[in-house]
Amino acid sequence: MTKKRLFPRLFPVFSEKPSAMQNEQMKILILGSGGREHMLAKVCAASPLAKEVIVAPGNGGMSKEFAAFPIDVEDNESIVRLAMEENVDFVVVGPEVPLCNGAVDALNEKGVLAYGPNAAGAELEGSKAFTKDFLARHNIPTAAYGNFSEMESARDFLGKSKLPLVVKASGLAAGKGVVICETIEEAENSVREMLSGESFGESGKEIVIEEFLEGEETSLHLICSGEKYVTLPMSQDHKKAGEGDTGLNTGGMGAYAPTPLVTPEMLADYETNIVQPTLAGLKADGIDFRGTLYVGLMLTQDGPKVLEFNVRFGDPETQVILPLLEEDLLPTLLASAKGEDLPRNLKFKNESAMVVVVASKGYPESYPKGEIINIPDSLPENTDLIHAGTKQNENGEILSAGGRVLGAVGHGTTLSLAAERAYALCDSIGFTSKFLRRDIGHRELNRT
Ligand code: AMP
Ligand code: GLY
């Protein structure tokens, strides 16, 4: 299949093609099936270094644009086999599970270059207990905490803690393993359900209990190569299912970037007090960290504190950060994967972007699937439609296949223009159980 370049208005095909580059054109495999991977595939396909982009397993929208291979990305053998059979030059691993499973290690062992941390680096996301100890050991600001795998010691700790407090499954739980508890009874129940394996299986058999932090949340994305890093624009996600930040925690219902809340001085402070000590700490602990480091921050009255690390791009944050890029991302991804020097900084447009997640009603609990989605043939200017939980049927129709179905992206010179465009796109899409939050960006839009 030849490379197709869609949406050139959002992703100008970087037209300078030095002749040396022509020989280096590569076949790129994007692993994953969410909105993040759809955006990564588009961005990689727009690079002059890309000969072809293929995806595995992909989703309904990705399979319209790229050759899609239905493998299980949680199985390293299938990943390696596909990369070898398809003569892939470079693999970009989207989600956390294959990273924690050591997909990058497995590919590297067979001589395939891959973007993302090795399994040792991915522990920063795979184990919250490991991360809390890491933060404490390296004096990086975070909420006071305790790690537990037994009810009795957890109960003693609860007895000495102030309310509200936060109980977290240490292992991977798709963003859902965190309970904010207002009473000791609630906390004890959460602890019991987690430790018994009832609520999150193996992921909950170790837990973190931590102090509740108050403030605004923001996400800092870095592309790293050992202790070197390049920062991407700050973004803000909306993790609760309901308007006004109410209801259950989700993977993210919408995001915008950049966040004017964070000034260049504040960012410099995060770099000095959080980013640099983290990368130095990883090195001191024998971890050569390559790939994305996503730092989830709570901006408290006592300064910024690390809520969590992710070791991959955020979803839906990627859908607003990458469209702001004014240069080719691929050389930076390649340099990170090889452990080489990174550019000092990347160029971004002086614009805002917003993504509104179009979900299925009932998400993050149960929701219908298989509904036909009506999508207009041509999209409004300055918008892009990113697929997540969709699939294509034999007639080429797009059906809903997940909780977060689509991401409607808008951008413009101001955040309110970006919002207007994203919501106009949302309104042009139809399916029976369509559900979205109408207040993405509310904090920032109300500030201005
Ligand atoms: P995590 O997966 O650890 O980032 O937690 C998911 C979400 O739970 C975060 O994005 C916050 O909204 C909330 N959260 C986690 N830890 C805390 C905390 N210590 N205080 C307040 N809210 C928290
Ligand atoms: N949007 C939150 C995450 O990617 O973890």
Side-chain angles (χ1 to χ4, degrees):
M1 185 185 270
T2 52
K3 177 168 65 138
K4 294 180 194 166
R5 286 183 167 132
L6 296 191
F7 308 107
R9 64 189 182 278
L10 276 194
F11 299 107
V13 174
F14 298 98
S15 55
E16 289 159 42
K17 288 195 181 185
S19 52
M21 262 189 200
Q22 302 281 22
N23 302 329
E24 292 169 22
Q25 279 200 320
M26 43 178 67
K27 184 165 178 177
I28 301 163
L29 165 61
I30 309 288
L31 284 183
S33 59
R36 163 185 51 218
E37 287 79 21
H38 194 185
M39 188 54 92
L40 281 165
K42 284 173 185 288
V43 167
C44 287
S47 168
L49 295 175
K51 177 172 65 197
E52 185 184 351
V53 169
I54 63 172
V55 299
N59 55 37
M62 290 164 88
S63 66
K64 278 194 187 275
E65 291 171 54
F66 309 100
F69 295 81
I71 64 158
D72 175 5
V73 295
E74 297 185 10
D75 176 39
N76 286 348
E77 260 180 48
S78 307
I79 296 173
V80 170
R81 194 176 321 117
L82 176 64
M84 306 293 283
E85 281 174 8
E86 287 298 312
N87 287 317
V88 167
D89 300 296
F90 185 45
V91 180
V92 178
V93 185
E96 60 277 15
V97 176
L99 293 168
C100 292
N101 286 348
V104 170
D105 314 58
L107 286 161
N108 288 170
E109 264 169 38
K110 295 285 179 194
V112 182
L113 189 63
Y115 178 78
N118 57 18
E123 272 288 272
L124 278 188
E125 178 161 1
S127 168
K128 288 186 192 294
F130 167 89
T131 296
K132 294 297 289 192
D133 287 345
F134 171 88
L135 291 165
R137 194 166 61 247
H138 296 289
N139 291 316
I140 299 164
T142 189
Y145 76 104
N147 294 338
F148 303 94
S149 46
E150 277 163 20
M151 190 68 210
E152 207 169 315
S153 45
R155 200 182 277 123
D156 284 350
F157 186 83
L158 289 179
K160 294 180 207 137
S161 305
K162 273 202 303 197
L163 291 166
L165 49 78
V166 187
V167 179
K168 301 183 174 186
S170 176
L172 294 179
K176 293 166 199 152
V178 173
V179 189
I180 295 168
C181 304
E182 303 288 343
T183 66
I184 290 289
E185 292 71 41
E186 225 183 308
E188 281 196 5
N189 286 340
S190 300
V191 168
R192 190 174 313 103
E193 283 167 16
M194 286 189 195
L195 290 180
S196 67
E198 197 183 315
S199 40
F200 299 104
E202 283 301 312
S203 290
K205 295 218 166 148
E206 185 171 25
I207 59 166
V208 176
I209 303 178
E210 70 178 27
E211 165 198 16
F212 177 79
L213 298 176
E214 265 179 284
E216 265 199 60
E217 274 185 76
T218 182
S219 322
L220 169 59
H221 282 69
L222 312 155
I223 295 177
C224 307
S225 176
E227 283 191 275
K228 302 176 203 88
Y229 64 90
V230 58
T231 57
L232 304 179
M234 299 291 304
S235 55
Q236 198 164 41
D237 185 14
H238 298 62
K239 293 200 176 159
K240 299 280 188 190
E243 279 161 24
D245 297 316
T246 53
L248 294 174
N249 253 339
T250 70
M253 294 299 291
Y256 67 92
T259 321
L261 171 70
V262 177
T263 61
E265 293 72 31
M266 287 161 78
L267 179 58
D269 170 58
Y270 306 163
E271 290 186 47
T272 309
N273 294 310
I274 293 174
V275 173
Q276 289 156 12
T278 297
L279 297 177
L282 286 166
K283 186 174 177 203
D285 292 351
I287 297 173
D288 178 14
F289 191 91
R290 302 180 189 176
T292 307
L293 185 65
Y294 164 135
V295 188
L297 291 170
M298 186 71 95
L299 309 184
T300 74
Q301 284 200 324
D302 302 330
K305 298 200 176 178
V306 175
L307 276 179
E308 63 166 342
F309 287 126
N310 294 318
V311 297
R312 35 79 193 169
F313 288 105
D315 189 339
E317 291 93 326
T318 307
Q319 291 86 301
V320 287
I321 293 173
L322 298 190
L324 295 177
L325 261 174
E326 213 164 31
E327 63 179 282
D328 187 1
L329 182 67
L330 201 47
T332 305
L333 299 184
L334 286 165
S336 162
K338 291 178 189 162
E340 292 175 350
D341 277 349
L342 300 175
R344 233 174 227 285
N345 46 47
L346 288 168
K347 256 195 264 152
F348 288 91
K349 296 174 200 158
N350 193 13
E351 280 191 3
S352 287
M354 179 179 290
V355 59
V356 179
V357 169
V358 183
S360 294
K361 199 159 180 55
Y363 173 74
E365 296 183 297
S366 56
Y367 46 82
K369 290 182 187 173
E371 295 177 358
I372 292 186
I373 307 173
N374 293 311
I375 298 174
D377 289 336
S378 68
L379 303 181
E381 274 299 299
N382 291 301
T383 67
D384 198 4
L385 189 61
I386 301 298
H387 286 243
T390 65
K391 67 177 185 193
Q392 205 184 154
N393 67 12
E394 54 286 359
N395 304 324
E397 289 166 318
I398 297 289
L399 309 180
S400 64
R404 293 192 292 174
V405 179
L406 295 161
V409 182
H411 36 128
T413 47
T414 61
L415 184 61
S416 50
L417 206 48
E420 208 174 285
R421 290 170 173 160
Y423 279 109
L425 178 55
C426 289
D427 292 339
S428 72
I429 295 160
F431 59 101
T432 313
S433 304
K434 173 176 145 183
F435 167 76
L436 52 105
R437 273 183 64 165
R438 287 272 160 200
D439 65 343
I440 302 303
H442 64 100
R443 284 195 205 82
E444 195 53 49
L445 290 167
N446 292 337
R447 247 193 294 269
T448 47

